[in-house]
Amino acid sequence: MTPFLAEARAQFHAQCMARLVRVRADGVPNFADGSSPVSSSIAKGVLTQLPGDPIAGKLPGQSTGKEFEVLVLEFVQATFSRMTHLRPGRWRMLRSSSIDRYEQYAHLAAIDEARRRDRALMAAIAPDYQIKPNIVVLRETEGDDVLNSAGLLVDASTATYASLRQREGGLPLLHASISCKYTIRSDRVQNTRAEALSLIRNRKGRAPHMVAVTAEPLPSRLGSIALGTGDVDCVYHFALPELVDAVASLDYADALELLQHMIDGKRLRDISDLPLDLAT
């Protein structure tokens, strides 16, 4: 019997091949840096292990990154919905939603409004807190009927400030922020790190999961996000076992060592690991 997450992963790859992955005339896929022979070789090795036949051509304009976001969102929606026995609650997943709509960051809307009314504040406070993560995972608040469903847990005078408790004007809780980068370049690395640090610095309450999902084939570029701690929780590759096999088969010893270092150091995981990690 095939595990559900294995089936979901296979479906994710099938959708990537049908809707996202494109190849040049020389067979280099669009998740490679075509100017780098190493990147191109590794990406080709990954591609041969994915289901279906690659499609020649290009996707128009900026649609590549957006389509990758949509595919990751669909994967998270399909898989995390099966985790309710591990993580009960009412959950929603959205694309490109401002963080000031959620409980831990609602105060940022008031700061922004004050900035707009006061030129001195506008000059003094940089708007680096204005973040729209590529994908957010939200938990809805719960009414007292749910909280007390297994016995009297709260009443009108108990736990009245808890974020999970539904109240007038209460907002959903930001459970996770997912940064999607189909490929990694230096500017994109800085954006991912800056967003994560802002989420940590500007929150009131528990920090959300902060993760990145990518199809980048070069281990050195993966390391620019994955190595170290304090920014993102972890980086998830859209086809990690296939990436490891491709690097190993090409005998890139240094790249393979770096890749294994990130995996052993719990900084790099496969897309199939993401739903279970979000359930923690």
Side-chain angles (χ1 to χ4, degrees), residues 4 8 72-83 93 275:
F4 168 73
V72 172
L73 174 61
E74 291 173 355
F75 176 80
V76 172
Q77 288 174 327
T79 54
F80 195 64
S81 63
R82 295 286 293 268
M83 305 290 149
M93 297 85 181

Side-chain angles (χ1 to χ4, degrees), residues 73 76-77 91-99 102 131-139 173-179 199 209 278:
L73 174 61
V76 172
Q77 288 174 327
W91 302 93
R92 283 191 293 142
M93 297 85 181
L94 304 171
R95 282 183 62 219
S96 189
S97 182
S98 179
I99 59 173
Y102 312 120
I131 298 172
K132 287 187 176 182
N134 297 135
I135 298 172
V136 294
V137 180
L138 312 175
R139 182 171 186 179
L173 307 173
L174 182 59
H175 179 70
S177 168
I178 303 175
S179 176
L199 286 168
H209 288 284
L278 291 177

